[in-house]
Amino acid sequence: MKYSKLKLAQEAIKHKGFLQKIPSVYRMFKLWYRGEYKMKFTDVLIPALALIYVISPIDIIPDFVPVVGALDDLAILALAIPMLMKEVDKFLLWESQLRKGNKEIQDAEIVEK
């Protein structure tokens, strides 16, 4: 059975409504770039590096190795997407508080129970 990077990437992005949050990811990065939304540099760097790694033809395990060759890409996506989604959830919380008129918010945090 042959696995392709595209198929594995499609499986990885099924993570909790990732596709529906793409516009929010765009808004988050736009506001971060403008300096209106604060987030750690690593929260930007790690997903960006993961995306570059998955797109890049250079891999730790070459793609021509059956199954295992594509698993390194899937592993990178499996680590980066939840990190990005957690930051997007913080952003959406921050954004909703701003819409309610609270301009004093500096940072938002999600507390898991």
Side-chain angles (χ1 to χ4, degrees):
M1 184 155 95
K2 183 171 167 91
Y3 289 90
S4 70
K5 277 188 177 185
L6 182 60
K7 184 170 177 76
L8 289 173
Q10 287 171 342
E11 291 296 318
I13 63 175
K14 289 181 182 176
H15 184 275
K16 296 182 183 176
F18 176 78
L19 293 177
Q20 289 83 14
K21 290 184 179 179
I22 288 177
S24 300
V25 172
Y26 174 74
R27 280 194 325 274
M28 179 181 72
F29 280 116
K30 187 169 76 171
L31 291 175
W32 170 77
Y33 183 74
R34 288 184 189 167
E36 296 175 36
Y37 178 69
K38 306 280 188 233
M39 63 181 175
K40 295 182 214 169
F41 184 68
T42 56
D43 292 338
V44 176
L45 183 66
I46 292 173
L49 289 175
L51 180 64
I52 291 168
Y53 179 79
V54 170
I55 293 172
S56 170
I58 301 169
D59 286 335
I60 294 172
I61 302 171
D63 288 334
F64 63 81
V65 177
V67 179
V68 181
L71 286 179
D72 65 332
D73 295 332
L74 183 61
I76 297 293
L77 287 175
L79 293 173
I81 288 177
M83 177 184 274
L84 181 62
M85 290 300 98
K86 187 173 183 179
E87 189 60 41
V88 168
D89 290 339
K90 288 180 189 179
F91 170 73
L92 291 173
L93 179 63
W94 175 84
E95 193 176 49
S96 71
Q97 291 296 321
L98 279 180
R99 286 187 184 144
K100 290 180 181 177
N102 189 353
K103 303 281 184 186
E104 299 288 321
I105 297 174
Q106 295 295 320
D107 192 12
E109 184 176 337
I110 295 184
V111 179
E112 296 180 23
K113 293 182 181 184

